[in-house]
Amino acid sequence: MNNIAIRVEDLGKQYRLGEIGTGTLSHDLNRWWSRIRGKEDPFAKIGEANDRTKKGNSEYVWALKDVNFEVKKGEVLGIIGRNGAGKSTLLKILSKVTAPTTGRIKVQGRIASLLEVGTGFHPDLTGRENVYLNGAILGMTKGEINRKFDEIVDFSGVERYIDTPVKRYSSGMYVRLAFAVSAFLEPEILIVDEVLAVGDAEFQKKCLGRMKDVSRNEGRTILFVSHSMAAVKNICTTGILMKNGELAFAGTADDIVDYYIANFSEFNPMSKVYIEAKHRPYYANRSIKYESIEFINPSENNYFSTKGAIAILLKLSSIINCDAFRVAFSVNKIDESPVGTFFSEEIFSIRNGETKDIMLSLKDHQLAKGQYYLSFSVGVGNEITGITDYDTVIQTLFFEIAYNDVANERMITLWNSEWGSMNFQNVELR
Amino acid sequence: MQWTEVIATSYTQRQEKQVLVQIAEEKRLTSPPTTSLDDSTQEWTEVIEPRTHLLDLRLGDVWRYRDLVMMFVRRDFVSTYKQTILGPIWFFVQPLLTTLTFIIVFGRVAKLSTDGLPQVVFYLAGVTVWNYFSQTLMATSTVFIANAAIFGKVYFPRLTMPVSIVVSNIVRFLIQFGLFLAVWLYYLMRGGSTIQPNWLMLLTPVLLVVMGLLSLGLGMIFSSLTTKYRDLAMLLTFGVQLLMYATPVIYPLSSIPTQYKWLILANPMSAIVETFRYAFLGSGSFQWAHLTYSVVFTAVILFVGTIIFNKVEKSFTDTV
């Protein structure tokens, strides 16, 4: 039994709500007095499960309560759960930033945590000085950093700027350098929190790759907190699901993601969405914009057959004249992993002040059983002339693919997520 | 297309999902990581617990992170004087201007005694020593609040931060001490003055260490308590200023009426300033007893400070 890296036993963390101020001193004295008499903390007994949506009666709340789990050496553990489920609190305790209220964590090996990259970066210091400072904060000695310095700079790709103060860096360069330092840490246990939400796509890929390398080739244990189901599925071997400060479920990474999607996903069964209020993560000038997007023949809960077409009506409006533009859409699985993308030719035109309807039918879609969502964009140009996206809206319509002819379907209900999202129909055999 | 069937199928899928959930629940119930596993053969390198022993100070950790201490010292220097034209010359400007002010206000206007010593050397000696103490104290007393962001993100022995402040102030002191030596040598060479240095000058490193540890201890106590009760930060800002007047910086101890001397000597900094001045300038009072009092006082404060600091560092992110 020597292969356990972390064992969490009855872990609990209590927070006091509201402001610290009046009353703090009296509670402190009360606590101190009962400890002197050898009694239990009078405030540890009260407190409620941490459901932030409900109004509670107690000013104390348990952000974590009775959490038990183990992580084996070399395992990559994904930690998922909604906002406020206790994921970050758990990581904070693991990385010793704050102490637990009850229980204990037994650890075998050195822990390094990346709750945020670039901790301690000083804007006035150069990239080189910051690499040394940040490395030391994360627990490396000067000798270790000396040895890895070239690799770190190489990985970050900011060699040219290494002797420039980091306040002159673009935010992308800053993050690259910061992650590079962290990527070359050599702890036995690495704790990572959502750092992958930064940097451009190419760099994100590099980071994911590095994490995989580290766990697979070097046998490190990794704890990974993420909201991206695709990333958890991709990187992790096992997972735990947190809910209101308690451990809801533990299992393999695939199980945990399926469980999460089945119970917590934000599948929205609306068959028509008005775009105006929709959040846009990317900048777009919206001179041509989406007004609404809807399924033409909606069914209950947006179920579509594995065979047949998905027909969609797009309503666009414009404040410019444009003779040739295109529309595009992409399909993602509900766990965010991408399935495919379509770009039309630039065959549409629109006048200033006009609204335009575009019918779109995805015939013979070949999508496998499962839940998906659609994202749309409208724009002009190509790689040579330069691409302009007028509007991009993500996660608009959600739909589910199901079998409509149960008796004649051989793989009914057996479609395995590992087989992918496409169920090829157009295969010629001789 | 037969939508009724689709809906029917989707209903079976919902059921299937329920089954999946049930399986998951069972898995959870059947394979909870129990604590009854064979624990004896496993060696833990670390156990994270709500409370540790009061005297578990983890000083070894601080030593392991000594590179970080030096890195912080370097950062303090580089960042303070980046984008200034005069750079480290500013180290000289501050004590010189303070001494000038003291000469005008206390020497010329108030006509306080300097024990017959040249006013420049007298005040500069006091200012050099006092500056080190007060600046270290002020900087260490805000350690938790000023570094809340970085402390909240990553663990390293929190003691490295105040220790690095003490060290970087030693460097600053040495530069200002050099200035004092230059002025002191000038008066010594010129002759005709009352300066009589003696062998007690060899005690300077000891004085420096005692002062550093005293300000470290006090700073740790204040920084720990201010995480929860900000009131103390208010107290300290003017408290340090007032304390200077309770220390023989701008006046010699000899000018204090005998019945109040104990009050001044209760201040552990008094003996240090007096010793320093006596060693280099040959006037003032020096007694081993007074110095011993300062050393003992420092040891107690340092001990208490380290314990409080270690206790607070575990939970301060929740209360800061």
Side-chain angles (χ1 to χ4, degrees), chain A residues 7 13 28 96 105 107 109 129 142 248 255, chain B residues 27-28 39 42 45-46 48 67 74 229 318:
Chain A
R7 175 179 295 162
K13 177 76 186 175
D28 277 357
K96 292 197 285 182
I105 302 174
V107 183
E129 289 164 333
K142 206 171 176 182
D255 281 354
Chain B
K27 264 192 200 170
R28 182 166 79 98
D39 219 24
Q42 178 98 35
T45 44
E46 189 164 15
I48 300 169
D67 282 340
R74 199 182 138 72
Y229 308 104
D318 308 333

mmCIF file with all atom_site columns, all heavy atoms in Angstrom, chain A residues 7 13 28 96 105 107 109 129 142 248 255, chain B residues 27-28 39 42 45-46 48 67 74 229 318:
data_model
loop_
_atom_site.group_PDB
_atom_site.id
_atom_site.type_symbol
_atom_site.label_atom_id
_atom_site.label_alt_id
_atom_site.label_comp_id
_atom_site.label_asym_id
_atom_site.label_entity_id
_atom_site.label_seq_id
_atom_site.pdbx_PDB_ins_code
_atom_site.Cartn_x
_atom_site.Cartn_y
_atom_site.Cartn_z
_atom_site.occupancy
_atom_site.B_iso_or_equiv
_atom_site.pdbx_formal_charge
_atom_site.auth_seq_id
_atom_site.auth_comp_id
_atom_site.auth_asym_id
_atom_site.auth_atom_id
_atom_site.pdbx_PDB_model_num
ATOM 1   N N   . ARG A 1 7   ? -4.254  11.363 0.565   1.00 0.00 ? 7   ARG A N   1
ATOM 2   C CA  . ARG A 1 7   ? -5.451  10.824 1.186   1.00 0.00 ? 7   ARG A CA  1
ATOM 3   C C   . ARG A 1 7   ? -6.137  11.930 1.967   1.00 0.00 ? 7   ARG A C   1
ATOM 4   O O   . ARG A 1 7   ? -5.551  12.535 2.859   1.00 0.00 ? 7   ARG A O   1
ATOM 5   C CB  . ARG A 1 7   ? -5.111  9.661  2.118   1.00 0.00 ? 7   ARG A CB  1
ATOM 6   C CG  . ARG A 1 7   ? -6.352  9.170  2.861   1.00 0.00 ? 7   ARG A CG  1
ATOM 7   C CD  . ARG A 1 7   ? -6.063  8.024  3.766   1.00 0.00 ? 7   ARG A CD  1
ATOM 8   N NE  . ARG A 1 7   ? -5.660  6.853  2.995   1.00 0.00 ? 7   ARG A NE  1
ATOM 9   C CZ  . ARG A 1 7   ? -5.018  5.818  3.542   1.00 0.00 ? 7   ARG A CZ  1
ATOM 10  N NH1 . ARG A 1 7   ? -4.672  5.851  4.803   1.00 0.00 ? 7   ARG A NH1 1
ATOM 11  N NH2 . ARG A 1 7   ? -4.712  4.785  2.813   1.00 0.00 ? 7   ARG A NH2 1
ATOM 12  N N   . LYS A 1 13  ? -14.314 22.592 5.902   1.00 0.00 ? 13  LYS A N   1
ATOM 13  C CA  . LYS A 1 13  ? -13.863 23.970 6.005   1.00 0.00 ? 13  LYS A CA  1
ATOM 14  C C   . LYS A 1 13  ? -15.069 24.859 6.233   1.00 0.00 ? 13  LYS A C   1
ATOM 15  O O   . LYS A 1 13  ? -16.021 24.844 5.457   1.00 0.00 ? 13  LYS A O   1
ATOM 16  C CB  . LYS A 1 13  ? -13.155 24.391 4.711   1.00 0.00 ? 13  LYS A CB  1
ATOM 17  C CG  . LYS A 1 13  ? -12.714 25.829 4.691   1.00 0.00 ? 13  LYS A CG  1
ATOM 18  C CD  . LYS A 1 13  ? -11.488 26.060 5.520   1.00 0.00 ? 13  LYS A CD  1
ATOM 19  C CE  . LYS A 1 13  ? -11.146 27.537 5.609   1.00 0.00 ? 13  LYS A CE  1
ATOM 20  N NZ  . LYS A 1 13  ? -10.029 27.782 6.511   1.00 0.00 ? 13  LYS A NZ  1
ATOM 21  N N   . ASP A 1 28  ? -14.342 35.294 18.918  1.00 0.00 ? 28  ASP A N   1
ATOM 22  C CA  . ASP A 1 28  ? -12.984 34.802 19.157  1.00 0.00 ? 28  ASP A CA  1
ATOM 23  C C   . ASP A 1 28  ? -12.771 34.452 20.623  1.00 0.00 ? 28  ASP A C   1
ATOM 24  O O   . ASP A 1 28  ? -12.230 33.410 20.961  1.00 0.00 ? 28  ASP A O   1
ATOM 25  C CB  . ASP A 1 28  ? -11.951 35.864 18.738  1.00 0.00 ? 28  ASP A CB  1
ATOM 26  C CG  . ASP A 1 28  ? -11.688 35.800 17.253  1.00 0.00 ? 28  ASP A CG  1
ATOM 27  O OD1 . ASP A 1 28  ? -12.260 34.904 16.596  1.00 0.00 ? 28  ASP A OD1 1
ATOM 28  O OD2 . ASP A 1 28  ? -10.922 36.638 16.754  1.00 0.00 ? 28  ASP A OD2 1
ATOM 29  N N   . LYS A 1 96  ? -2.058  24.414 0.820   1.00 0.00 ? 96  LYS A N   1
ATOM 30  C CA  . LYS A 1 96  ? -1.640  24.992 2.095   1.00 0.00 ? 96  LYS A CA  1
ATOM 31  C C   . LYS A 1 96  ? -1.797  26.500 2.171   1.00 0.00 ? 96  LYS A C   1
ATOM 32  O O   . LYS A 1 96  ? -1.161  27.164 2.983   1.00 0.00 ? 96  LYS A O   1
ATOM 33  C CB  . LYS A 1 96  ? -0.179  24.623 2.425   1.00 0.00 ? 96  LYS A CB  1
ATOM 34  C CG  . LYS A 1 96  ? -0.021  23.151 2.715   1.00 0.00 ? 96  LYS A CG  1
ATOM 35  C CD  . LYS A 1 96  ? 1.275   22.890 3.430   1.00 0.00 ? 96  LYS A CD  1
ATOM 36  C CE  . LYS A 1 96  ? 2.451   22.969 2.500   1.00 0.00 ? 96  LYS A CE  1
ATOM 37  N NZ  . LYS A 1 96  ? 3.717   22.673 3.136   1.00 0.00 ? 96  LYS A NZ  1
ATOM 38  N N   . ILE A 1 105 ? -5.348  15.985 5.655   1.00 0.00 ? 105 ILE A N   1
ATOM 39  C CA  . ILE A 1 105 ? -4.908  15.484 4.360   1.00 0.00 ? 105 ILE A CA  1
ATOM 40  C C   . ILE A 1 105 ? -3.521  14.919 4.542   1.00 0.00 ? 105 ILE A C   1
ATOM 41  O O   . ILE A 1 105 ? -2.633  15.604 5.068   1.00 0.00 ? 105 ILE A O   1
ATOM 42  C CB  . ILE A 1 105 ? -4.854  16.605 3.313   1.00 0.00 ? 105 ILE A CB  1
ATOM 43  C CG1 . ILE A 1 105 ? -6.217  17.269 3.171   1.00 0.00 ? 105 ILE A CG1 1
ATOM 44  C CG2 . ILE A 1 105 ? -4.399  16.053 1.971   1.00 0.00 ? 105 ILE A CG2 1
ATOM 45  C CD1 . ILE A 1 105 ? -6.203  18.468 2.264   1.00 0.00 ? 105 ILE A CD1 1
ATOM 46  N N   . VAL A 1 107 ? -0.193  13.529 2.722   1.00 0.00 ? 107 VAL A N   1
ATOM 47  C CA  . VAL A 1 107 ? 0.418   13.733 1.418   1.00 0.00 ? 107 VAL A CA  1
ATOM 48  C C   . VAL A 1 107 ? 1.729   12.992 1.352   1.00 0.00 ? 107 VAL A C   1
ATOM 49  O O   . VAL A 1 107 ? 2.495   12.981 2.311   1.00 0.00 ? 107 VAL A O   1
ATOM 50  C CB  . VAL A 1 107 ? 0.680   15.230 1.169   1.00 0.00 ? 107 VAL A CB  1
ATOM 51  C CG1 . VAL A 1 107 ? 1.252   15.436 -0.219  1.00 0.00 ? 107 VAL A CG1 1
ATOM 52  C CG2 . VAL A 1 107 ? -0.584  16.034 1.330   1.00 0.00 ? 107 VAL A CG2 1
ATOM 53  N N   . GLY A 1 109 ? 4.936   13.204 -0.946  1.00 0.00 ? 109 GLY A N   1
ATOM 54  C CA  . GLY A 1 109 ? 5.613   13.894 -2.033  1.00 0.00 ? 109 GLY A CA  1
ATOM 55  C C   . GLY A 1 109 ? 5.420   15.395 -1.962  1.00 0.00 ? 109 GLY A C   1
ATOM 56  O O   . GLY A 1 109 ? 4.597   15.899 -1.210  1.00 0.00 ? 109 GLY A O   1
ATOM 57  N N   . GLU A 1 129 ? 14.468  38.061 -14.657 1.00 0.00 ? 129 GLU A N   1
ATOM 58  C CA  . GLU A 1 129 ? 14.378  38.186 -13.191 1.00 0.00 ? 129 GLU A CA  1
ATOM 59  C C   . GLU A 1 129 ? 13.097  37.558 -12.667 1.00 0.00 ? 129 GLU A C   1
ATOM 60  O O   . GLU A 1 129 ? 13.095  36.916 -11.612 1.00 0.00 ? 129 GLU A O   1
ATOM 61  C CB  . GLU A 1 129 ? 14.441  39.668 -12.795 1.00 0.00 ? 129 GLU A CB  1
ATOM 62  C CG  . GLU A 1 129 ? 15.818  40.274 -12.982 1.00 0.00 ? 129 GLU A CG  1
ATOM 63  C CD  . GLU A 1 129 ? 15.813  41.800 -12.978 1.00 0.00 ? 129 GLU A CD  1
ATOM 64  O OE1 . GLU A 1 129 ? 14.778  42.403 -13.337 1.00 0.00 ? 129 GLU A OE1 1
ATOM 65  O OE2 . GLU A 1 129 ? 16.833  42.394 -12.647 1.00 0.00 ? 129 GLU A OE2 1
ATOM 66  N N   . LYS A 1 142 ? 17.732  28.035 -6.807  1.00 0.00 ? 142 LYS A N   1
ATOM 67  C CA  . LYS A 1 142 ? 18.362  28.797 -7.873  1.00 0.00 ? 142 LYS A CA  1
ATOM 68  C C   . LYS A 1 142 ? 19.058  27.867 -8.867  1.00 0.00 ? 142 LYS A C   1
ATOM 69  O O   . LYS A 1 142 ? 19.005  28.070 -10.080 1.00 0.00 ? 142 LYS A O   1
ATOM 70  C CB  . LYS A 1 142 ? 19.367  29.771 -7.260  1.00 0.00 ? 142 LYS A CB  1
ATOM 71  C CG  . LYS A 1 142 ? 19.590  30.974 -8.123  1.00 0.00 ? 142 LYS A CG  1
ATOM 72  C CD  . LYS A 1 142 ? 20.419  32.013 -7.390  1.00 0.00 ? 142 LYS A CD  1
ATOM 73  C CE  . LYS A 1 142 ? 20.723  33.165 -8.313  1.00 0.00 ? 142 LYS A CE  1
ATOM 74  N NZ  . LYS A 1 142 ? 21.564  34.174 -7.690  1.00 0.00 ? 142 LYS A NZ  1
ATOM 75  N N   . ALA A 1 248 ? -19.932 14.429 -4.371  1.00 0.00 ? 248 ALA A N   1
ATOM 76  C CA  . ALA A 1 248 ? -21.163 13.836 -4.877  1.00 0.00 ? 248 ALA A CA  1
ATOM 77  C C   . ALA A 1 248 ? -20.896 12.492 -5.533  1.00 0.00 ? 248 ALA A C   1
ATOM 78  O O   . ALA A 1 248 ? -21.724 11.590 -5.492  1.00 0.00 ? 248 ALA A O   1
ATOM 79  C CB  . ALA A 1 248 ? -21.835 14.776 -5.866  1.00 0.00 ? 248 ALA A CB  1
ATOM 80  N N   . ASP A 1 255 ? -16.842 8.423  -16.613 1.00 0.00 ? 255 ASP A N   1
ATOM 81  C CA  . ASP A 1 255 ? -18.041 8.287  -15.785 1.00 0.00 ? 255 ASP A CA  1
ATOM 82  C C   . ASP A 1 255 ? -18.458 9.628  -15.204 1.00 0.00 ? 255 ASP A C   1
ATOM 83  O O   . ASP A 1 255 ? -19.620 10.004 -15.214 1.00 0.00 ? 255 ASP A O   1
ATOM 84  C CB  . ASP A 1 255 ? -17.771 7.335  -14.603 1.00 0.00 ? 255 ASP A CB  1
ATOM 85  C CG  . ASP A 1 255 ? -17.825 5.888  -15.045 1.00 0.00 ? 255 ASP A CG  1
ATOM 86  O OD1 . ASP A 1 255 ? -18.187 5.665  -16.214 1.00 0.00 ? 255 ASP A OD1 1
ATOM 87  O OD2 . ASP A 1 255 ? -17.495 5.008  -14.224 1.00 0.00 ? 255 ASP A OD2 1
ATOM 88  N N   . LYS B 2 27  ? -21.732 2.764  -7.147  1.00 0.00 ? 27  LYS B N   1
ATOM 89  C CA  . LYS B 2 27  ? -20.266 2.778  -7.166  1.00 0.00 ? 27  LYS B CA  1
ATOM 90  C C   . LYS B 2 27  ? -19.738 3.626  -6.026  1.00 0.00 ? 27  LYS B C   1
ATOM 91  O O   . LYS B 2 27  ? -18.797 3.280  -5.345  1.00 0.00 ? 27  LYS B O   1
ATOM 92  C CB  . LYS B 2 27  ? -19.778 3.388  -8.484  1.00 0.00 ? 27  LYS B CB  1
ATOM 93  C CG  . LYS B 2 27  ? -19.433 2.383  -9.536  1.00 0.00 ? 27  LYS B CG  1
ATOM 94  C CD  . LYS B 2 27  ? -18.701 3.097  -10.643 1.00 0.00 ? 27  LYS B CD  1
ATOM 95  C CE  . LYS B 2 27  ? -18.752 2.299  -11.919 1.00 0.00 ? 27  LYS B CE  1
ATOM 96  N NZ  . LYS B 2 27  ? -18.269 3.072  -13.043 1.00 0.00 ? 27  LYS B NZ  1
ATOM 97  N N   . ARG B 2 28  ? -20.393 4.739  -5.866  1.00 0.00 ? 28  ARG B N   1
ATOM 98  C CA  . ARG B 2 28  ? -19.937 5.652  -4.841  1.00 0.00 ? 28  ARG B CA  1
ATOM 99  C C   . ARG B 2 28  ? -20.078 5.013  -3.463  1.00 0.00 ? 28  ARG B C   1
ATOM 100 O O   . ARG B 2 28  ? -19.212 5.146  -2.607  1.00 0.00 ? 28  ARG B O   1
ATOM 101 C CB  . ARG B 2 28  ? -20.770 6.934  -4.895  1.00 0.00 ? 28  ARG B CB  1
ATOM 102 C CG  . ARG B 2 28  ? -20.366 7.990  -3.890  1.00 0.00 ? 28  ARG B CG  1
ATOM 103 C CD  . ARG B 2 28  ? -21.003 9.302  -4.245  1.00 0.00 ? 28  ARG B CD  1
ATOM 104 N NE  . ARG B 2 28  ? -22.398 9.328  -3.829  1.00 0.00 ? 28  ARG B NE  1
ATOM 105 C CZ  . ARG B 2 28  ? -22.813 9.892  -2.703  1.00 0.00 ? 28  ARG B CZ  1
ATOM 106 N NH1 . ARG B 2 28  ? -21.959 10.461 -1.905  1.00 0.00 ? 28  ARG B NH1 1
ATOM 107 N NH2 . ARG B 2 28  ? -24.077 9.903  -2.384  1.00 0.00 ? 28  ARG B NH2 1
ATOM 108 N N   . ASP B 2 39  ? -2.530  1.501  6.945   1.00 0.00 ? 39  ASP B N   1
ATOM 109 C CA  . ASP B 2 39  ? -1.902  2.814  7.036   1.00 0.00 ? 39  ASP B CA  1
ATOM 110 C C   . ASP B 2 39  ? -0.451  2.733  7.508   1.00 0.00 ? 39  ASP B C   1
ATOM 111 O O   . ASP B 2 39  ? 0.321   3.654  7.323   1.00 0.00 ? 39  ASP B O   1
ATOM 112 C CB  . ASP B 2 39  ? -2.705  3.672  8.018   1.00 0.00 ? 39  ASP B CB  1
ATOM 113 C CG  . ASP B 2 39  ? -2.816  5.099  7.536   1.00 0.00 ? 39  ASP B CG  1
ATOM 114 O OD1 . ASP B 2 39  ? -2.699  5.296  6.313   1.00 0.00 ? 39  ASP B OD1 1
ATOM 115 O OD2 . ASP B 2 39  ? -3.002  5.984  8.371   1.00 0.00 ? 39  ASP B OD2 1
ATOM 116 N N   . GLN B 2 42  ? 2.504   3.008  4.938   1.00 0.00 ? 42  GLN B N   1
ATOM 117 C CA  . GLN B 2 42  ? 2.601   4.231  4.133   1.00 0.00 ? 42  GLN B CA  1
ATOM 118 C C   . GLN B 2 42  ? 3.323   5.324  4.910   1.00 0.00 ? 42  GLN B C   1
ATOM 119 O O   . GLN B 2 42  ? 2.970   5.621  6.045   1.00 0.00 ? 42  GLN B O   1
ATOM 120 C CB  . GLN B 2 42  ? 1.209   4.713  3.756   1.00 0.00 ? 42  GLN B CB  1
ATOM 121 C CG  . GLN B 2 42  ? 1.194   5.994  2.978   1.00 0.00 ? 42  GLN B CG  1
ATOM 122 C CD  . GLN B 2 42  ? 1.067   5.770  1.486   1.00 0.00 ? 42  GLN B CD  1
ATOM 123 O OE1 . GLN B 2 42  ? 0.414   4.868  1.021   1.00 0.00 ? 42  GLN B OE1 1
ATOM 124 N NE2 . GLN B 2 42  ? 1.728   6.607  0.720   1.00 0.00 ? 42  GLN B NE2 1
ATOM 125 N N   . THR B 2 45  ? 4.853   12.263 3.714   1.00 0.00 ? 45  THR B N   1
ATOM 126 C CA  . THR B 2 45  ? 5.851   13.322 3.835   1.00 0.00 ? 45  THR B CA  1
ATOM 127 C C   . THR B 2 45  ? 5.252   14.531 4.531   1.00 0.00 ? 45  THR B C   1
ATOM 128 O O   . THR B 2 45  ? 5.956   15.359 5.072   1.00 0.00 ? 45  THR B O   1
ATOM 129 C CB  . THR B 2 45  ? 6.370   13.755 2.458   1.00 0.00 ? 45  THR B CB  1
ATOM 130 O OG1 . THR B 2 45  ? 5.253   13.885 1.581   1.00 0.00 ? 45  THR B OG1 1
ATOM 131 C CG2 . THR B 2 45  ? 7.338   12.762 1.902   1.00 0.00 ? 45  THR B CG2 1
ATOM 132 N N   . GLU B 2 46  ? 3.927   14.600 4.485   1.00 0.00 ? 46  GLU B N   1
ATOM 133 C CA  . GLU B 2 46  ? 3.307   15.765 5.091   1.00 0.00 ? 46  GLU B CA  1
ATOM 134 C C   . GLU B 2 46  ? 1.869   15.472 5.454   1.00 0.00 ? 46  GLU B C   1
ATOM 135 O O   . GLU B 2 46  ? 1.191   14.732 4.765   1.00 0.00 ? 46  GLU B O   1
ATOM 136 C CB  . GLU B 2 46  ? 3.351   16.932 4.105   1.00 0.00 ? 46  GLU B CB  1
ATOM 137 C CG  . GLU B 2 46  ? 2.926   18.222 4.727   1.00 0.00 ? 46  GLU B CG  1
ATOM 138 C CD  . GLU B 2 46  ? 3.353   19.395 3.867   1.00 0.00 ? 46  GLU B CD  1
ATOM 139 O OE1 . GLU B 2 46  ? 3.704   19.185 2.707   1.00 0.00 ? 46  GLU B OE1 1
ATOM 140 O OE2 . GLU B 2 46  ? 3.339   20.505 4.380   1.00 0.00 ? 46  GLU B OE2 1
ATOM 141 N N   . ILE B 2 48  ? -1.562  17.670 6.421   1.00 0.00 ? 48  ILE B N   1
ATOM 142 C CA  . ILE B 2 48  ? -2.162  18.996 6.554   1.00 0.00 ? 48  ILE B CA  1
ATOM 143 C C   . ILE B 2 48  ? -3.298  18.889 7.551   1.00 0.00 ? 48  ILE B C   1
ATOM 144 O O   . ILE B 2 48  ? -4.235  18.132 7.353   1.00 0.00 ? 48  ILE B O   1
ATOM 145 C CB  . ILE B 2 48  ? -2.680  19.490 5.193   1.00 0.00 ? 48  ILE B CB  1
ATOM 146 C CG1 . ILE B 2 48  ? -1.531  19.561 4.193   1.00 0.00 ? 48  ILE B CG1 1
ATOM 147 C CG2 . ILE B 2 48  ? -3.355  20.838 5.333   1.00 0.00 ? 48  ILE B CG2 1
ATOM 148 C CD1 . ILE B 2 48  ? -1.969  19.790 2.775   1.00 0.00 ? 48  ILE B CD1 1
ATOM 149 N N   . ASP B 2 67  ? 16.942  30.753 -1.085  1.00 0.00 ? 67  ASP B N   1
ATOM 150 C CA  . ASP B 2 67  ? 17.086  31.411 -2.385  1.00 0.00 ? 67  ASP B CA  1
ATOM 151 C C   . ASP B 2 67  ? 15.962  32.425 -2.609  1.00 0.00 ? 67  ASP B C   1
ATOM 152 O O   . ASP B 2 67  ? 16.172  33.481 -3.189  1.00 0.00 ? 67  ASP B O   1
ATOM 153 C CB  . ASP B 2 67  ? 17.047  30.376 -3.515  1.00 0.00 ? 67  ASP B CB  1
ATOM 154 C CG  . ASP B 2 67  ? 18.376  29.654 -3.650  1.00 0.00 ? 67  ASP B CG  1
ATOM 155 O OD1 . ASP B 2 67  ? 19.389  30.207 -3.149  1.00 0.00 ? 67  ASP B OD1 1
ATOM 156 O OD2 . ASP B 2 67  ? 18.413  28.556 -4.230  1.00 0.00 ? 67  ASP B OD2 1
ATOM 157 N N   . ARG B 2 74  ? 16.443  41.178 -3.645  1.00 0.00 ? 74  ARG B N   1
ATOM 158 C CA  . ARG B 2 74  ? 16.817  41.737 -4.933  1.00 0.00 ? 74  ARG B CA  1
ATOM 159 C C   . ARG B 2 74  ? 15.640  42.476 -5.559  1.00 0.00 ? 74  ARG B C   1
ATOM 160 O O   . ARG B 2 74  ? 15.780  43.585 -6.080  1.00 0.00 ? 74  ARG B O   1
ATOM 161 C CB  . ARG B 2 74  ? 17.258  40.595 -5.845  1.00 0.00 ? 74  ARG B CB  1
ATOM 162 C CG  . ARG B 2 74  ? 18.075  41.028 -7.005  1.00 0.00 ? 74  ARG B CG  1
ATOM 163 C CD  . ARG B 2 74  ? 18.416  39.839 -7.874  1.00 0.00 ? 74  ARG B CD  1
ATOM 164 N NE  . ARG B 2 74  ? 18.266  40.192 -9.274  1.00 0.00 ? 74  ARG B NE  1
ATOM 165 C CZ  . ARG B 2 74  ? 19.082  40.976 -9.920  1.00 0.00 ? 74  ARG B CZ  1
ATOM 166 N NH1 . ARG B 2 74  ? 20.143  41.472 -9.315  1.00 0.00 ? 74  ARG B NH1 1
ATOM 167 N NH2 . ARG B 2 74  ? 18.873  41.296 -11.177 1.00 0.00 ? 74  ARG B NH2 1
ATOM 168 N N   . TYR B 2 229 ? -7.793  42.610 12.919  1.00 0.00 ? 229 TYR B N   1
ATOM 169 C CA  . TYR B 2 229 ? -8.180  43.881 13.511  1.00 0.00 ? 229 TYR B CA  1
ATOM 170 C C   . TYR B 2 229 ? -7.320  44.998 12.948  1.00 0.00 ? 229 TYR B C   1
ATOM 171 O O   . TYR B 2 229 ? -6.180  45.191 13.367  1.00 0.00 ? 229 TYR B O   1
ATOM 172 C CB  . TYR B 2 229 ? -8.061  43.810 15.034  1.00 0.00 ? 229 TYR B CB  1
ATOM 173 C CG  . TYR B 2 229 ? -8.786  42.622 15.613  1.00 0.00 ? 229 TYR B CG  1
ATOM 174 C CD1 . TYR B 2 229 ? -8.110  41.492 16.048  1.00 0.00 ? 229 TYR B CD1 1
ATOM 175 C CD2 . TYR B 2 229 ? -10.175 42.629 15.672  1.00 0.00 ? 229 TYR B CD2 1
ATOM 176 C CE1 . TYR B 2 229 ? -8.794  40.398 16.550  1.00 0.00 ? 229 TYR B CE1 1
ATOM 177 C CE2 . TYR B 2 229 ? -10.868 41.539 16.165  1.00 0.00 ? 229 TYR B CE2 1
ATOM 178 C CZ  . TYR B 2 229 ? -10.174 40.426 16.607  1.00 0.00 ? 229 TYR B CZ  1
ATOM 179 O OH  . TYR B 2 229 ? -10.851 39.346 17.083  1.00 0.00 ? 229 TYR B OH  1
ATOM 180 N N   . ASP B 2 318 ? -8.554  33.738 5.232   1.00 0.00 ? 318 ASP B N   1
ATOM 181 C CA  . ASP B 2 318 ? -9.995  33.775 5.479   1.00 0.00 ? 318 ASP B CA  1
ATOM 182 C C   . ASP B 2 318 ? -10.436 35.035 6.194   1.00 0.00 ? 318 ASP B C   1
ATOM 183 O O   . ASP B 2 318 ? -11.606 35.385 6.178   1.00 0.00 ? 318 ASP B O   1
ATOM 184 C CB  . ASP B 2 318 ? -10.423 32.571 6.344   1.00 0.00 ? 318 ASP B CB  1
ATOM 185 C CG  . ASP B 2 318 ? -9.934  31.269 5.750   1.00 0.00 ? 318 ASP B CG  1
ATOM 186 O OD1 . ASP B 2 318 ? -9.748  31.224 4.522   1.00 0.00 ? 318 ASP B OD1 1
ATOM 187 O OD2 . ASP B 2 318 ? -9.741  30.309 6.502   1.00 0.00 ? 318 ASP B OD2 1
#
